[in-house]
Amino acid sequence: MAEDRRRKTDMTRNETGPVTLIVPSHPKYLYVVRSALYPILTDAGFGRKDARRIILAVDEACSNIIKHAYEGDPTKSITMTVAEDADRFIVRLRDYGKKADPAKIAPRDLANIRPGGLGTLFIGAAFDTVTYDTNQEQGTLLTLEKKKQRVNV
Amino acid sequence: MAEDRRRKTDMTRNETGPVTLIVPSHPKYLYVVRSALYPILTDAGFGRKDARRIILAVDEACSNIIKHAYEGDPTKSITMTVAEDADRFIVRLRDYGKKADPAKIAPRDLANIRPGGLGTLFIGAAFDTVTYDTNQEQGTLLTLEKKKQRVNV
Amino acid sequence: MKVEITTQKFGAGSILLIKGDVDMNSSPDVRSSLDEIFKQGGAKALLINLSGVRYMDSSGIATLVEAMQNCMKQGMKLRLVELSPPVRDVFELARLSSIFEIFANTGEAQAGL
Amino acid sequence: MKVEITTQKFGAGSILLIKGDVDMNSSPDVRSSLDEIFKQGGAKALLINLSGVRYMDSSGIATLVEAMQNCMKQGMKLRLVELSPPVRDVFELARLSSIFEIFANTGEAQAGL
Ligand SMILES: Nc1ncnc2c1ncn2[C@@H]1O[C@H](COP(=O)(O)OP(=O)(O)O)[C@@H](O)[C@H]1O
Ligand SMILES: Nc1ncnc2c1ncn2[C@@H]1O[C@H](COP(=O)(O)OP(=O)(O)O)[C@@H](O)[C@H]1O
């Protein structure tokens, strides 16, 4: 066992993305959203914990669309677009339901132990910028951005 | 330990699908395709082995699009649509590259041990019907269909 | 992702064993299993073993907070057992780690009940 | 999915340990690790341990078939070690199970070399 060499697949990072996933607004597709995100996140260089938190945040944002924008109607659709540029990792969620009222969207008071209100907290914990764009003809475009850690290799 | 009861999440099967995934034509996204497919297949009721073979077949069909339709250009895109009805599980792969020549697409002779030619064999092993539709304005629409095993519950 | 829920009895009450992702799709199933336990009543403690849970979102957390409130009403102890690192992380994000009684394994959670 | 490849030497030759999915994206890395081994030459055997491979597509199979052809040219023995059930299934689909020498573990694969 003289030689022990470890190689990592060297992938020329190309910025061709984005990846788009369209799922029905039924909670059973949250698992599909999470599963599709994981390899994109590891490929983007996120560690396990960051990847988990981003997945949790996107899951919560999709749950909110199902609950609030579509009021539980499972027959509508959610479009997720995942893109990256040199500095940021960007997830966009597009729905065609009741427009979000950004003024009403706020994390709960943590001192108040009650069920609910955690979703927006988790979204804010994972992403640096959270933007609800209601200037669409129909529905809302939610943009979630996370700055990339600059690692000089 | 008097009582040991096992419950399975009971999901009202709704046929709202389909799920659509659009990825760039770079082989690194094959992992995203596989990851997104897995939960859809288990939810559709496929066992582990069937799920694995379907994932392998779709991966091979995407690899063929990258190699043959796009001739290795990683900046194009592949659109996968997954749908089911009562009898069939259907995966559609749409590319906008060089049209496939269905006459030339054939599994290799198994007696001839050489690399290559296995992709179409794996596609045929997983799906009951494989249709290359080249009557599109651009590119090819590949439709892969698998009959569902009828289980009477 | 289907969640598998097993209910077992022990001297002081019930153990709920959850396997799978607890999200908006599966937490209603967790809630209905809990409801059955609360309907029976009369127990001293409820243990929820989360060793098989690799993912939990706010709907899962909400279900556990509700369970805590129901336990308090019935004078039952609620103990969470064997949180995986991802679930532990969600509890920390929600600042709920100190609100629940959390044990490393079922043996320790049963001690002194 | 990144693939991790480790090369080790033993008395009769080299052991290649592959971890991760071997698909069209990662098989070029497997191929270049193999090429380095063939470039060195002079060994009696090459063991490829696939215990860490949970997924392999036709590009991975093609890479192994090429390795077999290169081994034959160099008069080296090629032995595949510890195939996981999914990889075993792909070999069966490709009717290649009988063409490769497959061993349950490294110890057995090293015996008699
Ligand atoms: N996509 C959305 N559309 C409309 N309202 C939303 C949306 N997302 C969140 N909200 C509002 O923000 C509140 C807080 O959301 P959240 O923290 O996820 O907790 P919960 O959904 O459990 O109430 C919600 O109760 C709702 O009023
Ligand atoms: N999407 C496609 N477009 C054009 N030609 C294709 C396509 N898929 C397969 N083919 C043809 O079918 C042949 C067999 O394909 P396959 O069994 O996957 O093996 P390989 O791609 O390794 O040659 C290919 O060599 C190619 O000529």
Side-chain angles (χ1 to χ4, degrees):
Chain A
M1 308 279 178
E3 193 192 351
D4 186 317
R5 223 158 23 74
R6 218 159 260 269
R7 299 177 71 258
K8 285 257 184 189
T9 304
D10 184 50
M11 279 189 289
T12 325
R13 175 65 36 74
N14 71 346
E15 306 291 4
T16 53
V19 172
T20 299
L21 177 67
I22 309 169
V23 294
S25 55
H26 186 288
K28 75 178 178 179
Y29 294 101
L30 293 172
Y31 184 34
V32 178
V33 170
R34 297 198 298 272
S35 300
L37 266 178
Y38 187 76
I40 302 174
L41 291 167
T42 52
D43 187 61
F46 289 109
R48 230 177 238 227
K49 193 168 175 170
D50 272 342
R52 275 200 314 243
R53 289 188 172 195
I54 292 172
I55 287 171
L56 175 65
V58 176
D59 174 295
E60 296 289 348
C62 292
S63 298
N64 279 342
I65 289 172
I66 296 172
K67 279 191 290 182
H68 304 298
Y70 290 133
E71 297 173 308
D73 182 349
T75 65
K76 307 295 177 186
S77 82
I78 302 173
T79 299
M80 172 174 79
T81 311
V82 185
E84 11 173 347
D85 61 23
D87 314 302
R88 293 163 311 160
F89 183 81
I90 306 152
V91 179
R92 291 193 183 83
L93 292 173
R94 183 78 173 88
D95 72 66
Y96 304 89
K98 232 181 68 189
K99 280 183 205 298
D101 178 357
K104 279 200 198 144
I105 300 173
R108 73 182 175 95
D109 178 1
L110 281 176
N112 177 11
I113 309 300
R114 58 163 186 83
L118 283 171
T120 50
L121 179 81
F122 293 162
I123 296 168
F127 287 98
D128 298 305
T129 324
V130 177
T131 318
Y132 291 85
D133 175 359
T134 52
N135 295 321
Q136 310 287 323
E137 217 177 299
Q138 223 196 329
T140 302
L141 171 65
L142 170 59
T143 303
L144 306 168
E145 296 190 0
K146 187 171 176 65
K147 283 192 215 91
K148 283 186 183 173
Q149 233 92 40
R150 290 217 155 271
V151 192
N152 296 311
V153 194
Chain B
M1 309 279 178
E3 193 192 353
D4 187 316
R5 224 158 21 75
R6 218 159 260 269
R7 299 177 73 256
K8 285 258 183 187
T9 303
D10 184 49
M11 279 188 291
T12 325
R13 177 62 39 73
N14 71 347
E15 306 292 6
T16 52
V19 171
T20 299
L21 176 67
I22 309 168
V23 296
S25 55
H26 186 289
K28 74 178 177 177
Y29 294 100
L30 293 173
Y31 184 34
V32 178
V33 170
R34 297 197 299 270
S35 300
L37 265 178
Y38 188 76
I40 301 174
L41 291 166
T42 52
D43 188 60
F46 288 109
R48 230 176 237 227
K49 193 168 177 172
D50 273 342
R52 275 199 316 242
R53 290 189 170 193
I54 292 173
I55 287 171
L56 175 65
V58 176
D59 174 296
E60 296 289 348
C62 291
S63 297
N64 278 343
I65 289 173
I66 296 173
K67 279 190 290 183
H68 305 297
Y70 290 133
E71 297 173 308
D73 181 347
T75 66
K76 307 296 177 184
S77 81
I78 302 172
T79 299
M80 171 174 79
T81 310
V82 185
E84 9 172 351
D85 62 22
D87 315 302
R88 294 163 310 161
F89 183 82
I90 306 152
V91 178
R92 290 192 183 84
L93 292 173
R94 182 78 173 90
D95 73 66
Y96 305 89
K98 232 182 69 190
K99 280 183 206 295
D101 178 356
K104 279 199 198 146
I105 300 173
R108 73 182 175 94
D109 178 0
L110 281 175
N112 177 10
I113 308 300
R114 58 163 184 85
L118 282 171
T120 49
L121 179 81
F122 293 161
I123 296 169
F127 288 97
D128 298 305
T129 325
V130 177
T131 318
Y132 291 85
D133 175 0
T134 51
N135 295 321
Q136 310 286 323
E137 216 177 302
Q138 224 198 330
T140 303
L141 171 65
L142 170 59
T143 303
L144 306 167
E145 297 191 359
K146 187 172 175 65
K147 284 194 215 89
K148 285 186 183 172
Q149 234 93 39
R150 289 218 155 270
V151 192
N152 295 311
V153 195
Chain C
M1 183 75 180
K2 293 174 169 64
V3 76
E4 250 184 41
I5 306 168
T6 315
T7 311
Q8 298 179 322
K9 298 264 189 223
F10 74 107
S14 301
I15 302 173
L16 202 73
L17 187 74
I18 307 174
K19 235 185 108 182
D21 287 11
V22 181
D23 64 3
M24 190 190 169
N25 189 52
S26 60
S27 52
D29 294 289
V30 176
R31 182 174 294 116
S32 65
S33 294
L34 285 164
D35 285 347
E36 283 177 50
I37 292 172
F38 292 126
K39 219 161 45 195
Q40 290 164 23
K44 273 171 65 181
L46 168 61
L47 272 50
I48 303 180
N49 187 315
L50 295 168
S51 58
V53 178
R54 289 273 161 286
Y55 179 81
M56 184 177 284
D57 71 7
S58 69
S59 69
I61 297 277
T63 307
L64 294 178
V65 169
E66 273 177 34
M68 192 175 62
Q69 292 167 337
N70 280 318
C71 279
M72 276 159 62
K73 270 189 224 153
Q74 299 205 1
M76 267 162 92
K77 282 202 155 121
L78 175 65
R79 298 187 160 181
L80 306 184
V81 186
E82 269 189 75
L83 274 58
S84 65
V87 171
R88 205 171 275 277
D89 185 43
V90 175
F91 271 68
E92 273 162 31
L93 274 179
R95 316 272 158 84
L96 287 170
S97 307
S98 58
I99 277 131
F100 287 98
E101 280 196 89
I102 299 172
F103 293 81
N105 57 60
T106 308
E108 285 181 27
Q110 288 181 321
L113 284 176
Chain D
M1 183 75 180
K2 293 176 169 64
V3 76
E4 251 185 41
I5 306 167
T6 314
T7 311
Q8 298 179 323
K9 298 263 190 225
F10 74 107
S14 300
I15 302 175
L16 202 74
L17 187 73
I18 306 176
K19 235 186 108 179
D21 287 10
V22 182
D23 63 3
M24 190 189 169
N25 189 52
S26 60
S27 53
D29 293 288
V30 176
R31 182 173 294 116
S32 65
S33 294
L34 285 164
D35 284 347
E36 285 178 49
I37 292 172
F38 292 126
K39 218 160 47 193
Q40 290 164 22
K44 271 172 65 182
L46 167 62
L47 271 50
I48 302 181
N49 187 315
L50 295 168
S51 58
V53 178
R54 290 272 162 288
Y55 180 80
M56 183 178 282
D57 71 7
S58 69
S59 70
I61 297 278
T63 307
L64 294 178
V65 169
E66 273 177 35
M68 191 175 63
Q69 292 166 337
N70 280 319
C71 279
M72 276 159 61
K73 271 188 226 153
Q74 300 205 356
M76 268 163 90
K77 281 202 155 126
L78 174 65
R79 297 187 161 182
L80 306 184
V81 187
E82 268 189 77
L83 273 59
S84 65
V87 171
R88 205 171 275 277
D89 186 42
V90 175
F91 271 68
E92 272 162 31
L93 273 179
R95 318 270 159 86
L96 287 171
S97 307
S98 58
I99 279 131
F100 287 98
E101 278 196 90
I102 299 172
F103 292 81
N105 57 59
T106 308
E108 286 182 27
Q110 288 180 320
L113 284 177

